Structures are given as structure tokens and as C-alpha cells.
């Protein structure tokens, strides 16, 4: 990394959306050949700032310099022409095309080059950056890690010297993350600048050269990695001291609440998505579920809530088989599901409604008579706001206008309000900052101490290993092992996520 003048310099960048100052006079300097991490809570302005550097938004005021020259972008194409490329969390690839076709899509320049010449040029870039991409493979056949590598290759092929990665490891396995970090280090060696947005402190400490902390639209501080630690960074992000440890509360009883036996389910295409799943959960236990995205977690959740047709097997809740019962019958028996899908608003909450109405949606079937009472629901909404520290202008504010982290808390608060005996929670901390994550872990531990059985599905292995009593690993619709969370290693979990049966770690 050269310590000379900055290659990318953003000065006094302000962007206002309605009444919200998303970035307020922010500054950022990134050197050539540097991996620079951006840290901040949800809503700190990280993505907004990067969307301005990549031409998606136009700043209301401020200046952007690249290699000493001021630039003004009015579209992502302007940014790519100036050497800036951004890899978003949701990939911009066409599923039915091959890797090569995706790379060449939308290329205006060089149309006279034939495919062979393009391919030669692409292979040179692959060699230079040690990228492994099968150019003939269709996108729909690729794993998440392969798609991400293809996005990086596509961006480099378009001439990017500055690469922005927005939460790139959110959906990767530990093995794919190692591969990504290898690519990032290689880019640094080739004098590219890499800007890395992440919530995962351990990854930032592993890969970044320097770290800039943002808070509530302001730049707080830029630090060399060697001169800081996770504790200091978190305090800068949050603005006060904070205890970072994930606490594991001792298990309360050995009373089994849920027994699942030989659970099988088939999707609309006739493919078996759950292949004989078996497990138990005790009252006051948190059973984690780990697996690569799309391994059957969603179908398992929905089957356990009466939302997905079960082909065979039993779901025994306090001795009663619930297979074939309606979701309403599941709820009345004390099973509550807070499934936080990729689309938080599609499945869990109604976006245009406020908190009160969203709480009423959950309660209406307990009502006797025709009139729905808003007053108790309004009081509940106030209580949830206070307990979970939800940032909202008020209980009558439409849910869709809240940040992701706050939407998550509303969803969880509503589910816990029905005092479940079994809570199924999927991805409750996905994409949330460390402070909000810790708050949600505390809430789950409180429920555990009350004797609630919790099925906790997550991508983040640190939280699974820190919070849960046992971890069940699913690969391709099958259980590859149920292990003691205190004894298992990340490497063992990673191998099981990729399909290796791990009987020796079983509990």
C-alpha cells in the first residue's frame, strides 16, 4: 500500500432523502493497493456513500476525486468508465446465460472483437487475479460463491481499478469466504483499491489495512488495523462502551417439546427438498440450524409452521402429531414462527400498515366477536418499541419506512408477544449491526430462560457457536450431523455444510 496521496478521495459528501440526512459532510480517503473497510451500524450511511461513488446516487453537495482529478458521475456507467465497480449483495446476473455471455452483456466498446479475442482477454484477467470461473457454465447452475467470483471478473473486465464489495460474505460458506479473501489480497497486490462494507468484525480485522467508522451519517474516524481492536471499533460505531460477548445461558430442562421424525417434503417440481429430517428440541434449549443457503432451511421452517405440505413423517409437539394441521392450529397450540426471509416485508409483515395493524394481524384469531380492538394492540406496540429500542417516529408510522434492523425487531417483538412454547426464528440478525444483534441474542436468551424451545436458523457461524446449545447442520435437505455447539469448530461445521457426515462430533 502506498502511503502517498489518496487514490479515491470523497470530501464533504452530503445526501438527503426527504427529512433524513443519510450522509452529512462525510469524508473518505482510500489509497492505491489498499483494502479499506467501512464499518457502521444499520443506517450509518455506508451503502449510501458507496452508491454515490459508484454512480447510483448523485451527492447533493461535496466532491469526489479519483487519482487527483475531480469526477462527477450521473450513472453507474460513468463510474465504471472512471474505473469504479460495485458488487452488490444481490447479484446482477442473467440466470439463463453462461458466465461468458454475462461478462460480454452490455459491452458497447470492442463489438468488432470476436468471441475468441474476448475470451483470450478474459482469461488474461483470470490469470492475473487468480480467478476461477468456468466460462461455459450457466449462472443458474452456480453456487453463490461462483456467482460472486463471476461478478468480480465481470467488473474487472470492464476496467475497474476500484472495487466496492457490499456485505460480500453475508451468504458465503466459510470456505467461500476464504476464496473471496484470496481474490481481494490478489487485487491489492495488483494495485487495485478494494472497499469492503461489512458487519462482521472478525473479517474486517482479518482482511482490512485501514478501517473507517461511520455513525449516523458522519465519518467518525479512520484507523490502521494494527492500531485498533473490535472493542474500540464497536464503541466508535455505537458511541458508547459495549460488551461484545455472546452469552450462552444454561439449558433449563431435558423435557422434550418437539420431536421431528423422518420428515419428508417435495417441492412443486417434484424434487425432494427435505429428506428424512429427524431432531428433538427441549424446553429452554436453543437448537441452531446451519447450512448453505437453499439447503432446505426455508422448507423446514414452513413445514414446522403448517405452511409447507409434508409428504411423510411426524411433527410431534408435546406428543401430538401436527402434520396436516393448518397454520392457525399451530399458532393456537403455542408454536410461533418469526421467519425473517430475504424479503422481510413479503412474508412477515404488511409494509403499508403500521405497527398496530401488524400486531393485530397476529391476534385477530384470538378475538371473540366481530370487533377488533385497536387499543390493546396500540399499547403492545408502545411496549415493543420500548423493550426492543425500535427507532420509529411512532406506532402509526408505516413499517416500510423503517430501517431493516427496526423491521426485524418489530417482527420478533410481535412473535414473542404471543408467548409461544416453541419459537422458530430464521435469520433474525441477518444484515444487522453488532449492537442490534446483541439485543436480539439477549431477547432469545430471555425466552430460553422462560422455558421456550427455540429453533434458531442462521448463516453466521459465530452466533450459532456462541448462542446455541446444539447445532444441526443441513446439506441438500439432509441432516449431516447434530453437534455440541461448545465443542465443534468452524472447519467441522463448514465440512458438514458441504455434505460431509460428521458422526464423530454428534451429541
Amino acid at each position: 500500500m502506498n502511503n502517498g496521496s489518496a487514490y479515491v478521495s470523497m470530501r464533504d459528501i452530503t445526501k438527503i432523502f426527504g427529512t433524513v440526512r443519510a450522509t452529512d459532510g462525510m469524508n473518505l480517503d482510500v489509497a492505491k493497493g489498499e483494502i479499506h473497510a467501512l464499518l457502521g451500524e444499520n443506517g450509518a450511511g455506508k451503502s449510501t456513500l458507496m452508491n454515490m461513488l459508484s454512480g447510483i446516487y448523485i451527492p447533493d453537495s461535496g466532491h469526489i476525486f479519483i487519482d487527483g482529478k475531480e469526477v462527477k458521475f450521473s450513472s453507474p456507467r460513468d463510474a465504471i468508465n472512471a474505473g469504479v465497480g460495485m458488487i452488490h449483495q444481490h447479484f446482477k446476473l442473467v440466470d439463463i446465460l453462461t458466465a461468458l455471455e454475462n461478462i460480454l452483456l452490455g459491452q458497447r466498446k470492442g463489438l468488432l472483437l470476436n468471441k475468441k479475442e474476448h475470451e483470450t482477454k478474459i482469461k488474461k484477467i483470470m490469470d492475473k487475479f487468480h480467478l476461477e470461473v468456468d466460462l461455459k457454465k450457466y449462472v443458474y447452475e452456480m453456487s453463490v460463491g461462483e456467482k460472486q467470483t463471476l461478478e468480480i471478473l465481470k467488473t474487472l473486465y470492464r476496467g475497474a481499478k476500484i472495487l466496492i464489495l457490499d456485505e460480500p460474505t453475508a451468504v458465503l460458506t466459510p470456505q467461500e469466504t476464504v476464496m473471496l479473501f484470496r481474490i481481494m489480497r490478489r487485487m491489492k497486490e495488483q494495485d487495485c483499491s478494494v472497499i469492503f462494507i461489512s458487519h462482521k468484525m472478525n473479517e474486517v480485522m482479518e482482511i482490512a489495512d485501514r478501517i473507517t467508522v461511520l455513525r449516523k451519517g458522519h465519518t467518525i474516524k479512520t484507523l490502521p488495523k494494527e492500531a485498533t481492536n473490535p472493542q474500540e471499533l464497536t464503541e466508535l460505531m455505537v458511541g458508547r462502551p459495549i460488551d461484545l460477548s455472546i452469552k450462552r445461558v444454561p439449558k433449563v430442562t431435558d423435557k422434550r417439546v418437539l420431536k421431528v421424525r423422518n420428515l419428508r417434503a417435495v417441492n412443486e417440481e417434484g424434487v425432494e427438498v427435505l429428506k428424512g429430517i429427524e431432531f428433538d428440541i427441549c424446553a429452554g434449549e436453543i437448537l441452531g440450524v446451519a447450512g448453505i443457503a437453499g439447503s432446505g432451511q426455508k422448507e423446514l421452517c414452513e413445514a414446522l409452521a403448517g405452511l409447507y405440505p409434508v409428504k411423510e413423517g411426524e411433527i410431534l409437539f408435546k406428543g401430538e402429531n401436527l402434520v396436516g394441521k393448518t397454520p392457525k392450529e399451530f399458532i393456537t397450540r403455542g408454536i410461533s414462527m418469526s421467519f425473517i426471509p430475504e424479503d422481510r416485508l413479503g412474508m412477515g409483515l404488511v409494509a403499508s400498515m403500521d405497527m398496530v395493524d401488524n400486531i393485530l394481524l397476529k391476534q385477530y384469531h384470538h378475538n371473540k366477536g366481530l370487533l377488533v380492538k385497536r387499543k390493546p394492540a396500540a399499547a403492545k406496540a408502545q411496549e415493543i418499541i420500548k423493550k426492543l429500542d425500535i427507532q420509529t417516529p411512532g406506532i402509526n408510522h408505516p413499517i416500510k419506512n423503517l430501517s431493516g434492523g427496526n423491521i426485524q425487531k418489530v417482527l420478533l417483538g410481535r412473535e414473542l408477544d404471543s408467548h409461544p412454547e416453541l419459537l422458530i426464528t430464521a435469520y433474525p440478525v441477518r444484515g444487522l449491526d453488532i449492537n442490534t444483534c446483541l439485543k436480539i441474542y439477549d431477547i432469545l436468551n430471555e425466552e430460553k430462560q422462560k422455558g421456550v424451545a427455540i429453533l434458531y436458523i442462521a448463516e453466521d457461524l459465530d452466533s450459532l457457536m456462541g448462542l446455541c446449545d446444539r447445532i444441526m447442520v443441513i446439506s441438500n435437505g439432509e441432516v449431516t450431523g447434530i453437534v455440541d455447539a461448545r465443542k465443534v469448530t468452524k472447519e467441522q461445521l463448514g465440512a458438514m455444510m458441504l455434505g460431509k457426515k460428521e458422526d464423530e462430533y454428534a451429541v
Side-chain angles (χ1 to χ4, degrees):
M1 178 184 124
N2 74 359
N3 290 319
S5 60
Y7 187 56
V8 179
S9 186
M10 301 182 79
R11 286 276 153 269
D12 304 321
I13 302 285
T14 297
K15 182 73 187 167
I16 301 169
F17 297 105
T19 56
V20 178
R21 277 179 178 264
T23 69
D24 193 350
M26 272 193 186
N27 296 313
L28 177 69
D29 287 328
V30 182
K32 213 173 221 175
E34 169 181 47
I35 296 175
H36 196 113
L38 283 188
L39 268 180
E41 291 191 276
N42 296 86
K46 304 180 296 293
S47 295
T48 306
L49 187 67
M50 289 302 102
N51 280 334
M52 288 186 275
L53 181 56
S54 62
I56 295 169
Y57 298 155
I58 298 168
D60 294 327
S61 62
H63 306 275
I64 300 173
F65 301 91
I66 293 179
D67 210 6
K69 290 188 274 296
E70 184 164 3
V71 291
K72 286 194 174 358
F73 301 148
S74 53
S75 72
R77 189 176 284 282
D78 291 349
I80 207 70
N81 290 342
V84 180
M86 184 160 172
I87 312 287
H88 297 268
Q89 280 172 300
H90 305 291
F91 303 135
K92 311 225 179 312
L93 296 168
V94 182
D95 273 359
I96 54 168
L97 298 180
T98 63
L100 181 62
E101 288 164 342
N102 267 283
I103 294 168
L104 300 180
L105 205 63
Q107 286 295 305
R108 282 187 193 161
K109 55 179 189 228
L111 281 179
L112 299 170
L113 284 178
N114 63 24
K115 219 169 180 178
K116 264 273 159 285
E117 286 175 67
H118 274 298
E119 217 168 318
T120 312
K121 196 177 155 198
I122 290 168
K123 289 204 166 119
K124 270 193 187 143
I125 292 173
M126 284 167 65
D127 289 344
K128 184 177 171 185
F129 290 100
H130 303 327
L131 296 169
E132 285 172 36
V133 176
D134 178 349
L135 294 175
K136 294 186 181 65
K137 197 170 185 179
Y138 286 95
V139 170
Y140 65 80
E141 299 173 331
M142 293 182 178
S143 71
V144 180
E146 288 175 301
K147 286 180 190 171
Q148 193 179 61
T149 309
L150 171 57
E151 277 278 23
I152 293 171
L153 175 57
K154 185 176 91 177
T155 308
L156 292 171
Y157 180 70
R158 293 181 179 182
K161 304 272 186 302
I162 299 153
L163 194 71
I164 304 163
L165 297 163
D166 188 0
E167 296 271 348
T169 63
V171 288
L172 300 183
T173 63
Q175 285 81 353
E176 287 173 325
T177 300
V178 170
M179 288 289 294
L180 173 69
F181 283 4
R182 209 174 286 153
I183 294 167
M184 286 164 69
R185 288 191 182 101
R186 183 68 187 158
M187 292 178 68
K188 175 181 155 176
E189 284 165 21
Q190 296 290 339
D191 250 3
C192 289
S193 303
V194 181
I195 303 173
F196 174 58
I197 301 178
S198 179
H199 280 307
K200 298 182 183 177
M201 198 65 80
N202 53 343
E203 294 183 352
V204 169
M205 292 306 290
E206 182 186 335
I207 193 84
D209 297 307
R210 288 192 304 157
I211 300 157
T212 294
V213 179
L214 310 179
R215 183 169 79 233
K216 295 184 175 158
H218 295 274
T219 315
I220 302 299
K221 202 169 186 182
T222 297
L223 295 149
K225 177 181 59 188
E226 293 70 39
T228 186
N229 57 58
Q231 190 68 44
E232 180 188 15
L233 291 168
T234 306
E235 287 179 20
L236 289 169
M237 274 165 61
V238 178
R240 63 178 192 288
I242 197 161
D243 176 6
L244 287 182
S245 54
I246 300 176
K247 294 165 191 67
R248 194 194 326 263
V249 175
K251 208 169 106 183
V252 185
T253 66
D254 285 326
K255 190 180 92 193
R256 289 180 190 185
V257 175
L258 181 75
K259 294 181 190 175
V260 173
R261 295 290 175 266
N262 190 31
L263 191 66
R264 292 179 184 276
V266 175
N267 68 12
E268 286 164 0
E269 284 84 54
V271 177
E272 198 169 31
V273 284
L274 297 176
K275 304 171 183 172
I277 301 253
E278 301 208 346
F279 64 93
D280 301 338
I281 309 185
C282 297
E285 175 187 34
I286 301 181
L287 175 68
V289 178
I292 299 169
S295 298
Q297 301 94 316
K298 183 172 191 280
E299 292 81 1
L300 174 62
C301 258
E302 293 180 4
L304 294 178
L307 294 164
Y308 201 93
V310 171
K311 189 179 160 202
E312 63 177 275
E314 297 179 310
I315 298 170
L316 299 163
F317 183 63
K318 297 196 297 189
E320 180 188 5
N321 188 5
L322 296 184
V323 168
K325 301 259 194 296
T326 64
K328 187 176 171 183
E329 290 176 277
F330 277 71
I331 294 168
T332 51
R333 281 167 177 76
I335 295 180
S336 172
M337 179 170 88
S338 106
F339 184 61
I340 316 245
E342 276 83 340
D343 175 11
R344 293 184 183 115
L345 291 173
M347 274 186 74
L349 299 163
V350 180
S352 54
M353 287 184 173
D354 63 22
M355 267 182 77
V356 180
D357 288 331
N358 271 291
I359 289 168
L360 286 171
L361 281 178
K362 188 81 182 181
Q363 295 180 339
Y364 75 95
H365 53 78
H366 292 306
N367 271 333
K368 292 169 182 53
L370 294 171
L371 294 173
V372 175
K373 298 186 181 69
R374 272 186 75 86
K375 220 174 185 162
K380 270 285 168 260
Q382 292 288 14
E383 202 181 299
I384 290 171
I385 286 174
K386 203 166 146 209
K387 187 179 168 193
L388 304 190
D389 189 24
I390 294 168
Q391 306 295 316
T392 171
I395 55 173
N396 303 116
H397 190 67
I399 291 274
K400 64 169 183 262
N401 296 348
L402 301 182
S403 77
N406 287 308
I407 291 172
Q408 212 96 311
K409 291 193 219 172
V410 172
L411 195 46
L412 198 57
R414 184 188 74 177
E415 297 310 313
L416 295 177
D417 182 54
S418 58
H419 306 298
E421 288 181 76
L422 168 65
L423 178 68
I424 301 162
T425 174
Y427 312 113
V429 297
R430 175 184 273 169
L432 300 187
D433 58 75
I434 182 99
N435 199 24
T436 309
C437 292
L438 291 166
K439 182 88 191 154
I440 287 177
Y441 301 148
D442 287 344
I443 293 162
L444 293 176
N445 277 328
E446 274 172 37
E447 295 303 307
K448 177 182 176 178
Q449 283 170 308
K450 290 178 194 164
V452 177
I454 299 170
L455 187 70
Y456 173 81
I457 298 178
E459 292 134 342
D460 178 36
L461 297 184
D462 290 307
S463 76
L464 283 162
M465 291 163 73
L467 188 69
C468 302
D469 298 291
R470 294 179 299 147
I471 301 171
M472 169 167 76
V473 184
I474 299 183
S475 174
N476 198 14
E478 285 182 286
V479 175
T480 48
I482 298 179
V483 295
D484 185 334
R486 278 164 286 240
K487 294 178 185 158
V488 73
T489 66
K490 273 191 186 173
E491 290 65 34
Q492 289 163 347
L493 288 173
M496 291 156 77
M497 285 162 74
L498 294 169
K500 187 169 184 278
K501 290 269 190 333
E502 292 288 2
D503 300 324
E504 63 265 38
Y505 315 123
V507 288

